[in-house]
Amino acid sequence: MKKNKILLCCLLTIFGIQLNAQYNNMWIPDTLSGTNFNLTIKDTFAQIRPGNQTITGGINGKFWGPTLFFNKGETVHLNVKNKLNDSTTIHWHGMHLPAVMDGGPHQVIPSGTTWQPYWKVTNNAATYWYHPHLHEMTMEHISKGIGGLIIVRDNIESALPLPRKYGVDDIPVVLTDRDINSSNQFVVVPYGDSMLTNMTLRAQYSVPAQVIRLRLLNAAIERSFNIGFSDNRTFYIITSDGGLLNAPVALTKYILHAGERIEILVNCTGQSGTKVDLKAYNSQLGNFIAGGENFTNGPFANALGKKDFNILHLNIGAQTSSPITSIPSTLTANVLLSSANAAITRKLVINDSAISGGQFGPNLFVINHHLFKLNYNDYNVPLNNTEIWEITSNSVFGHPFHIHDVEFNIISVNGASPVAAQAGWKDVVFIPGKTGNTSAVVKFIAKFDDFADPLHPFMFHCHISLHEDEGMMGQFIVTDNSSKINQIINLSNGFSLYPNPANNRLYIKFNNLNNKAYYINVVNTVGKTVLMLPKPELHNGIDISGLSSGVYFIQLTDEKTKQVITQKFIKE
Ligand code: C2O
Ligand code: CU
Ligand code: CU
């Protein structure tokens, strides 16, 4: 294996120039839109490079998944079918939604089961994503290629003169790297030797000679990308993770950390017939930023470390009809949260710990002095609280910190106001490593509105999947003290199912009309869950048309008491 790698490196060096000259046309994920989305996760194969196919994890296709278009204000229903041999989860990164729909480590989808979360989209227009989040398995499942983009549209963004033709002048660009072994299989390691842009090696794309919009997602396991162009041209950042910035921010370099998204405008007007490369200038990254280290051996050594490399070769061609040819001067007017309204400042601390047991090295990183435990809750956040989270890092390494449920505003990074490109809505913030003996301190402010749930927590964690899997994660629940349980409504009165037998839709009637379903599992006779319905909208009935005929059980959890009652039905 080592020998093969060395041989491969020699061959690559000898034939390097020829190989680099062969670009592959960048794959563009399919799109799904509307309010009902069917996603089937499965083990599959993809032709990543000549030779053996690569075993991958795909959603509806061979690799990665479709881009989902959501409209702000609409309620979206997702049917997520897990056809992997493993359990997994699908987390809607950046979406504001009930914890029980969030797809974190507590919303496990067993193999063979369909999970049906739904929520009203309240997020601003921007680029979000979905990805697996099963505890200790996130790195492995993301490495397979499971994930996808979410593009939210809203009225403000739609009214702006911005490129909006998907795959033409509005182009998704998902950044990852993989270690591909000599039999063309992905190796589950924090850093790969090969850049994959939309799962394409040495990607190229033809773009029109006008303003183009690139939606950049850092979907890497660990690596940060110091984005720039080969001709050092200026590009314009128009979104932070969770929405438009007030105005485009003109830059020539920008570091995108794991989990983060930016949308950029690039003006190619008048440049038909020319070429330019989108690159990672990672030789300029500090030693304690992921991808800026210079490991020569050991499990973190990789061909891209502290190097500059191509992300996407752009061939600029003819203009389209009705092109956008100028960069707008303003975008929106964000109303950010005010520290004066904060009810509490929560102080979190990140440390390098001496706890050993890491898969790839002796150092584990911990938040609040403990590794993640599924049953340990760090915080109870009262519903509607506005809070400042102050994160002090004593780690030498930089960590992209992500929180579920909310988009936040950065207050300060080591005492300084956020840079312009981060002065909007964010859900990942880079916590720099300490400098000398001085800890890094980052503060953000967020409002925890709409969704309380005493049972299902939201996560906060480092978005480097290796660190997350190794325990650099904590959790909080949002609780609503105003709705005390003043009357325990006993479910023992039960509910009835009709029609029974049923073949299409099954309806539930509670004997006590105050009962509400918090969760329904449909379980077959051998105890396997086949359908998972968080907070089901029972007036529509339960769609059982996809089940094969036989006997099933409905396990219904009551909203208030969390009591579980089981009833049998027959699928015709
Ligand atoms: Cu994108 Cu909890 O993660
Ligand atoms: Cu998330
Ligand atoms: Cu980390």
Side-chain angles (χ1 to χ4, degrees):
M1 160 92 183
K2 257 265 122 64
K3 259 190 186 151
N4 280 344
K5 236 183 169 174
I6 292 164
L7 183 68
L8 189 69
C9 282
C10 293
L11 288 172
L12 282 174
T13 318
I14 298 163
F15 298 109
I17 301 156
Q18 288 90 327
L19 274 179
N20 281 332
Q22 315 172 336
Y23 292 110
N24 299 305
N25 291 330
M26 182 171 73
W27 174 71
I28 298 287
D30 290 344
T31 62
L32 290 176
S33 50
T35 53
N36 272 292
F37 298 85
N38 294 320
L39 302 177
T40 302
I41 314 163
K42 55 180 197 294
D43 287 308
T44 172
F45 296 94
Q47 195 76 52
I48 302 289
R49 66 182 186 194
N52 291 338
Q53 296 206 72
T54 305
I55 299 169
T56 55
I59 300 184
N60 298 3
K62 289 182 184 164
F63 201 22
W64 195 241
T67 299
L68 313 180
F69 282 86
F70 292 170
N71 292 317
K72 185 174 181 174
E74 288 184 354
T75 296
V76 291
H77 289 80
L78 286 292
N79 300 308
V80 184
K81 189 167 187 118
N82 178 11
K83 283 196 171 175
L84 300 171
N85 290 324
D86 288 343
S87 294
T88 192
T89 81
I90 292 292
H91 166 58
W92 318 102
H93 180 126
M95 290 281 112
H96 179 51
L97 41 56
V100 72
M101 318 279 184
D102 187 47
H106 293 267
Q107 290 89 47
V108 177
I109 319 169
S111 169
T113 300
T114 301
W115 176 57
Q116 299 188 311
Y118 65 92
W119 66 93
K120 183 174 172 190
V121 178
T122 58
N123 285 77
N124 297 318
T127 306
Y128 303 84
W129 64 306
Y130 55 97
H131 63 76
H133 212 308
L134 187 65
H135 185 45
E136 296 179 331
M137 295 296 285
T138 298
M139 174 165 145
E140 186 174 325
H141 289 178
I142 292 182
S143 292
K144 285 180 170 209
I146 305 171
L149 286 169
I150 297 171
I151 294 178
V152 175
R153 301 225 194 268
D154 67 15
N155 294 337
I156 295 174
E157 187 271 343
S158 299
L160 291 168
L162 291 172
R164 214 170 275 113
K165 280 176 228 122
Y166 183 81
V168 178
D169 60 4
D170 181 354
I171 301 156
V173 183
V174 178
L175 312 181
T176 60
D177 56 284
R178 289 289 183 278
D179 184 0
I180 307 175
N181 71 15
S182 52
S183 39
N184 279 1
Q185 301 311 311
F186 291 152
V187 186
V188 182
V189 286
Y191 290 124
D193 298 321
S194 305
M195 179 69 204
L196 284 173
T197 307
N198 289 359
M199 309 310 154
T200 310
L201 287 166
R202 297 183 305 277
Q204 69 170 355
Y205 205 66
S206 296
V207 295
Q210 61 206 55
V211 173
I212 59 165
R213 176 186 198 166
L214 304 179
R215 296 177 184 260
L216 302 172
L217 158 66
N218 182 342
I221 298 300
E222 175 142 5
R223 191 182 306 279
S224 303
F225 298 93
N226 184 24
I227 303 295
F229 286 89
S230 52
D231 58 1
N232 204 35
R233 70 176 57 201
T234 297
F235 57 88
Y236 301 85
I237 302 186
I238 58 168
T239 62
S240 48
D241 302 319
L244 290 164
L245 296 163
N246 286 347
V249 175
L251 288 171
T252 56
K253 296 282 182 309
Y254 184 78
I255 305 176
L256 194 68
H257 301 284
E260 287 185 310
R261 293 86 61 208
I262 48 171
E263 296 172 18
I264 64 172
L265 300 180
V266 187
N267 198 344
C268 301
T269 307
Q271 295 164 12
S272 183
T274 66
K275 301 165 192 314
V276 66
D277 291 319
L278 174 66
K279 295 187 65 166
Y281 289 92
N282 280 11
S283 66
Q284 296 168 17
L285 288 180
N287 289 333
F288 297 103
I289 295 183
E293 319 96 316
N294 201 357
F295 294 109
T296 46
N297 52 47
F300 292 91
N302 69 91
L304 305 177
K306 217 170 190 61
K307 299 255 161 45
D308 297 344
F309 52 90
N310 262 13
I311 293 173
L312 179 59
H313 179 72
L314 293 171
N315 300 303
I316 304 171
Q319 228 176 42
T320 65
S321 59
S322 48
I324 304 287
T325 54
S326 62
I327 308 290
S329 54
T330 61
L331 298 166
T332 190
N334 281 310
V335 181
L336 303 185
L337 298 166
S338 154
S339 300
N341 296 328
I344 189 174
T345 297
R346 295 197 192 270
K347 302 200 172 192
L348 292 81
V349 55
I350 293 175
N351 284 299
D352 298 345
S353 88
I355 306 169
S356 58
Q359 211 185 334
F360 297 97
N363 255 335
L364 296 182
F365 303 103
V366 290
I367 304 177
N368 294 348
H369 308 288
H370 68 89
L371 291 175
F372 179 72
K373 291 189 212 84
L374 271 163
N375 56 4
Y376 182 83
N377 186 48
D378 290 76
Y379 303 116
N380 274 351
V381 173
L383 182 66
N384 294 322
N385 238 25
T386 299
E387 303 196 346
I388 294 171
W389 285 38
E390 179 184 304
I391 302 154
T392 299
S393 179
N394 305 310
S395 177
V396 292
F397 200 65
H399 301 275
F401 182 95
H402 170 54
I403 182 171
H404 291 207
D405 182 24
V406 291
E407 293 289 331
F408 56 75
N409 306 134
I410 299 173
I411 297 173
S412 60
V413 177
N414 288 337
S417 301
V419 295
Q422 297 181 5
W425 296 101
K426 292 277 295 163
D427 54 56
V428 179
V429 58
F430 181 69
I431 318 279
K434 67 173 178 188
T435 29
N437 285 323
T438 313
S439 310
V441 181
V442 171
K443 290 194 214 181
F444 66 74
I445 184 167
K447 184 164 189 213
F448 298 81
D449 52 9
D450 301 320
F451 307 116
D453 184 335
L455 226 57
H456 281 251
F458 289 110
M459 304 293 124
F460 54 86
H461 58 91
C462 175
H463 217 290
I464 292 176
S465 306
L466 171 66
H467 298 178
E468 176 199 327
D469 278 350
E470 290 185 338
M472 194 179 178
M473 177 155 70
Q475 51 194 357
F476 62 97
I477 55 172
V478 179
T479 51
D480 182 2
N481 296 325
S482 65
S483 80
K484 290 256 164 50
I485 306 174
N486 32 31
Q487 186 201 0
I488 301 286
I489 299 150
N490 209 310
L491 245 195
S492 60
N493 295 331
F495 56 88
S496 36
L497 299 171
Y498 67 94
N500 191 1
N503 71 44
N504 197 20
R505 280 183 185 270
L506 182 69
Y507 293 86
I508 288 183
K509 184 168 168 288
F510 288 107
N511 298 343
N512 181 333
L513 294 176
N514 288 317
N515 284 133
K516 252 177 108 178
Y518 172 71
Y519 217 103
I520 284 180
N521 279 335
V522 181
V523 180
N524 69 15
T525 47
V526 295
K528 195 164 138 26
T529 303
V530 291
L531 268 179
M532 294 160 70
L533 311 168
K535 302 197 176 193
E537 297 166 299
L538 291 179
H539 53 273
N540 295 329
I542 303 172
D543 181 0
I544 54 161
S545 58
L547 303 182
S548 42
S549 20
V551 174
Y552 293 87
F553 298 92
I554 294 273
Q555 290 176 342
L556 186 147
T557 308
D558 177 55
E559 175 80 44
K560 285 205 172 140
T561 61
K562 303 298 188 273
Q563 190 189 354
V564 182
I565 289 236
T566 302
Q567 289 263 15
K568 189 160 89 175
F569 75 94
I570 294 165
K571 156 79 193 205
E572 279 176 330

